[in-house]
Amino acid sequence: MDTLDAIHTRQSVGKVKPDPVPRETIEKLLSAAVQAPNHYKVRPWRFVVLTGAGREKLGEVLASSLKEKQPKFPPEAFDKERGRPLRAPVVIAVGVDKPVEAKVDQVENICATAAAVENLLIAAHAEGLGAKWRTGSPANDPRVKQFLGFEPDHHLIAFLYIGYPEFDLEPVERPSFEDRTVWME
Ligand SMILES: Cc1cc2nc3c(=O)[nH]c(=O)nc-3n(C[C@H](O)[C@H](O)[C@H](O)COP(=O)(O)O)c2cc1C
């Protein structure tokens, strides 16, 4: 697929099949991700690839975290939480390194990691996969961060849900750049 076609036709795909995605394909997506620009060559992105039982373990963490915060919720609420990571055969959690040198800026690290995420989403689309970028409360949950190997003050910027699309995609029409752009000539 042509690069511009891939960018223009990419769209979020929330419903994907449970069919497994080959490891080589996931590695292709990660390789595309790390081609993103990053200042001082710090490569601030961190990926945690959850498949199979890895997703179930994340589901347990989500459910027990909700139970701790909302012990009186009905059991169905915890079941729903437990099932969230099972919505796709592959879930990639994306974290951002904290700067270790004074010259390295946290915002720049977040920007670089977001660029890596977009690369990955475009690559997934070009490979015939569907993907959706999610965050929500799990992205700010210290228990979730600890489970994934991050510290409480690490930024977790994405949970990428990836699989083969359940339905054929309808073309998307997005607003133009024009009302968001000025030209200074
Ligand atoms: C940082 C970030 C976080 C997001 N978090 C969520 C989320 O938690 N749940 C959700 O449904 N969509 C979330 N989205 C939005 C979708 O992933 C998607 O990009 C949006 O619905 C636009 O659809 P499109 O990608 O087809 O243009 C997030 C997007 C970004 C950039």
Side-chain angles (χ1 to χ4, degrees), residues 10-13 121 131-136 157-158 172 174:
R10 181 212 63 81
Q11 59 183 276
S12 294
V13 177
L121 294 176
K132 185 157 173 109
W133 182 338
R134 298 180 197 271
T135 47
I157 66 159
V172 277
R174 295 194 177 92

